[in-house]
């Protein structure tokens, strides 16, 4: 059996009871380490926290292992119980869908155990989940690559009055272009997009497209470290959010569409004014 188990968003304790029971039945346990991040990271100390609570030795599965050595994992799952742990919910990334598809094609039994993900945790700010349109991913711009295909998706959502969740780029164990040209992989340091970078890129694309889909006065909500004790939620215009230090990753951003009075009432608790007020108290 291959168990694909969501870990939730905060720390090692966010695993469900069902998920923990499944882990304890497994002979081999992997934790995926490149599509998201637990609040304490997945360094050696973070991995030790997982191993201590779960009572199992855990192998860190980076992008290369999952994409290039997935057959080894699936071969193990044919003969024994194998757990594949995913931050958030198992289907928060297409990579995990591909893993399940490949397993089923090979005749490996699969059980999926769900958990909280960013896709539902953003409901914290009061914007109703059923009023969201298509989610977009914002990649880091480079000197030679500045994709803007997400612009039409935001435009479609805003025409319908829907909110847009923007998932921000994570670059973990990415080979540098120079090393690829030399034929020997050397990896860049981990890089996590901030809300500030996301807004700057969004405004750059609006400036070049010029269709007035949004502007620096458009209301957004910035989220940092959702599910952790020090999570941060601030609502304001793009211009206002550029002044806020959201701290450590992971960050995401919501571009607010047409709001219902109940949504507005809840959102009021997270305005920049309220955030600054709370900072003075502490």
């Amino acid at each position: 059996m291959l168990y694909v188990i969501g870990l939730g968003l905060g720390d090692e304790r966010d695993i469900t009871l069902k998920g923990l029971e499944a882990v304890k039945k497994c002979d081999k346990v992997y934790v995926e380490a490149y599509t998201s991040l637990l609040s304490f990271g997945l360094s050696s100390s973070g991995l030790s926290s997982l191993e201590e609570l779960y009572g199992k030795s855990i192998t860190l599965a980076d992008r290369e292992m999952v994409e290039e050595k997935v057959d080894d994992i699936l071969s193990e799952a044919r003969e024994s119980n194998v757990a594949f742990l995913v931050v958030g919910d198992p289907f928060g990334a297409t990579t995990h869908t591909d893993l399940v598809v490949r397993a089923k094609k090979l005749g490996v039994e699969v059980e999926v155990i769900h958990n909280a993900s960013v896709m539902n945790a953003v409901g914290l700010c009061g914007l109703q989940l059923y009023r969201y349109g298509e989610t977009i991913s914002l990649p880091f711009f480079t000197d030679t690559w500045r994709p803007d295909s997400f612009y039409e998706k935001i435009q479609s959502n805003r025409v319908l009055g829907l909110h847009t969740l923007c998932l921000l780029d994570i670059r973990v164990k990415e080979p540098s272009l120079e090393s690829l040209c030399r034929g020997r992989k050397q990896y860049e340091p981990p890089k996590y997009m901030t809300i500030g970078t996301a807004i700057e890129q969004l405004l750059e694309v609006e400036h070049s497209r010029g269709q007035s889909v949004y502007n620096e006065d458009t209301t957004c909500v910035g989220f940092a470290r959702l599910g952790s004790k020090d999570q941060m939620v601030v609502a304001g215009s793009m211009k206002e959010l550029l002044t806020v230090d959201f701290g450590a990753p992971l960050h995401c951003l919501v571009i607010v569409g047409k709001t219902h009075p109940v949504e507005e009432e809840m959102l009021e608790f997270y305005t920049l004014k309220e955030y600054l007020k709370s900072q003075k108290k502490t």
Side-chain angles (χ1 to χ4, degrees):
M1 174 77 79
L2 174 67
Y3 292 94
V4 187
I5 302 168
L7 292 180
L9 295 171
D11 57 31
E12 71 275 14
R13 297 167 298 170
D14 281 351
I15 192 170
T16 63
L17 287 175
K18 184 187 285 187
L20 186 56
E21 287 171 0
V23 168
K24 291 184 180 296
K25 287 190 288 189
C26 289
D27 303 290
K28 195 72 182 281
V29 181
Y30 295 92
V31 60
E32 179 263 285
Y34 62 91
T35 62
S36 194
L37 183 75
L38 286 173
S39 62
F40 57 83
L42 283 173
S43 60
S44 56
S45 59
L47 205 56
S48 297
S49 300
L50 291 177
E51 291 177 330
E52 185 177 343
L53 180 62
Y54 302 167
K56 292 284 181 178
S57 175
I58 298 175
T59 301
L60 204 60
D62 60 21
R63 182 187 295 273
E64 285 182 3
M65 175 180 283
V66 176
E67 293 181 352
E68 298 173 15
K69 299 179 181 178
V70 66
D71 289 339
D72 295 340
I73 297 173
L74 296 177
S75 293
E76 291 171 343
R78 275 181 137 160
E79 307 297 328
S80 60
N81 290 328
V82 174
F84 189 79
L85 310 180
V86 177
V87 179
D89 185 80
F91 293 122
T94 53
T95 299
H96 311 133
T97 305
D98 181 63
L99 176 66
V100 171
V101 168
R102 293 179 71 164
K104 287 181 177 292
K105 284 183 176 179
L106 289 172
V108 176
E109 285 192 72
V110 179
E111 182 173 337
V112 176
I113 300 173
H114 295 283
N115 209 321
S117 80
V118 65
M119 305 293 283
N120 54 36
V122 291
L124 171 70
C125 72
L127 297 176
Q128 298 298 308
L129 295 177
Y130 63 84
R131 295 176 62 84
Y132 278 75
E134 185 173 356
T135 296
I136 67 159
S137 295
L138 278 176
F140 277 111
F141 284 176
T142 69
D143 292 338
T144 57
W145 190 63
R146 308 178 92 74
D148 60 3
S149 58
F150 55 80
Y151 187 78
E152 283 85 4
K153 297 176 183 178
I154 299 173
Q155 185 175 38
S156 297
N157 289 345
R158 290 184 66 76
V159 166
L160 295 170
L162 301 174
H163 314 308
T164 305
L165 171 59
C166 308
L167 300 178
L168 311 188
D169 202 1
I170 299 171
R171 297 181 64 81
V172 178
K173 205 173 180 183
E174 294 281 346
S176 66
L177 183 59
E178 184 181 353
S179 72
L180 288 174
C181 292
R182 291 178 177 176
R184 189 178 62 187
K185 284 183 181 177
Q186 287 186 324
Y187 299 102
E188 298 176 343
K191 191 177 179 185
Y192 305 95
M193 186 181 288
T194 64
I195 287 164
T197 298
I199 290 174
E200 287 170 357
Q201 291 190 180
L202 284 165
L203 290 174
E204 177 185 321
V205 170
E206 175 55 61
H207 180 73
S208 64
R209 289 294 196 98
Q211 295 179 42
S212 301
V213 171
Y214 52 82
N215 57 50
E216 64 177 15
D217 294 318
T218 298
T219 301
C220 294
V221 186
F223 300 83
R225 301 170 301 284
L226 269 172
S228 66
K229 286 183 179 179
D230 67 339
Q231 68 181 9
M232 191 169 164
V233 183
V234 183
S237 67
M238 287 189 173
K239 180 169 57 179
E240 287 175 329
L241 294 189
L242 282 173
T243 68
V244 179
D245 179 3
F246 282 89
L250 291 173
H251 295 183
C252 67
L253 180 74
V254 170
I255 301 172
V256 179
K258 186 177 180 181
T259 52
H260 183 276
V262 175
E263 290 179 301
E264 293 168 8
E265 193 173 9
M266 183 73 168
L267 205 57
E268 188 65 29
F269 291 109
Y270 296 103
T271 60
L272 180 59
K273 180 179 70 175
E274 291 299 317
Y275 169 71
L276 295 174
K277 200 184 298 182
S278 69
Q279 291 300 103
K280 286 181 181 178
K281 289 179 183 177
T282 56

